[in-house]
């Protein structure tokens, strides 16, 4: 079982920036994908951004051009730089990883609140 610990959430005004960080530990197998999902109140969890160990990146259309995902494979860390935040970005953000054995793991989540 992989443990994922997020940090960096908080409250920010619209137009502001936040940077989320996540570290993975305890994996027996190499991690293929790391990324972020989010869940707003009353909505389903949705993908924000993912990055493979080879550097392939996938973003949700709603965050393209504003959010940037990066990763440190040696440290099993993933980051999400969020700029030009909007009220609709308010959600609990969950770190995610998938190992090469297709084992999915989730963090506990960190709250991001954007005030308008």
């Amino acid at each position: 079982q992989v443990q994922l610990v997020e940090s960096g959430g908080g409250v920010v005004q619209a137009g502001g920036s936040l940077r989320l960080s996540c570290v993975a530990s305890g994996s027996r197998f190499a991690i293929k994908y790391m990324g972020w999902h989010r869940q707003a109140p009353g909505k389903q969890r949705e993908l924000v951004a993912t990055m493979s160990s080879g550097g392939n990146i996938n973003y949700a259309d709603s965050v393209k051009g504003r959010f940037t995902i990066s990763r440190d494979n040696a440290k099993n860390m993933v980051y999400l730089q969020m700029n030009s935040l909007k009220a609709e970005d308010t959600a609990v953000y969950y770190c995610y990883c998938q190992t090469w054995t297709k084992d999915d793991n989730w963090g506990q989540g960190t709250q991001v609140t954007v005030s308008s």
Side-chain angles (χ1 to χ4, degrees):
Q1 188 74 14
V2 181
Q3 290 78 46
L4 297 168
V5 178
E6 304 104 334
S7 61
V11 180
V12 64
Q13 288 189 331
S17 300
L18 281 175
R19 186 179 191 233
L20 304 182
S21 300
C22 173
V23 58
S25 61
S27 179
R28 293 177 57 196
F29 304 100
I31 294 172
K32 183 176 183 180
Y33 294 106
M34 293 192 79
W36 299 89
H37 289 62
R38 67 186 180 187
Q39 188 167 18
K43 295 187 177 181
Q44 289 188 334
R45 191 174 297 189
E46 63 176 0
L47 179 145
V48 176
T50 61
M51 187 172 183
S52 72
S53 56
N56 292 320
I57 292 175
N58 184 30
Y59 289 108
D61 288 342
S62 59
V63 307
K64 285 181 180 176
R66 300 188 297 122
F67 291 11
T68 303
I69 189 171
S70 60
R71 182 173 167 178
D72 185 332
N73 291 332
K75 296 181 179 179
N76 279 340
M77 293 195 71
V78 64
Y79 308 93
L80 186 69
Q81 179 65 43
M82 304 185 292
N83 298 329
S84 302
L85 283 161
K86 306 175 181 179
E88 50 263 43
D89 294 318
T90 295
V92 177
Y93 284 70
Y94 295 91
C95 182
Y96 161 82
C97 79
Q98 185 185 80
T99 65
W100 282 91
T101 56
K102 300 189 184 299
D103 177 36
D104 293 331
N105 299 272
W106 298 89
Q108 293 297 307
T110 184
Q111 178 70 45
V112 171
T113 302
V114 183
S115 60
S116 56

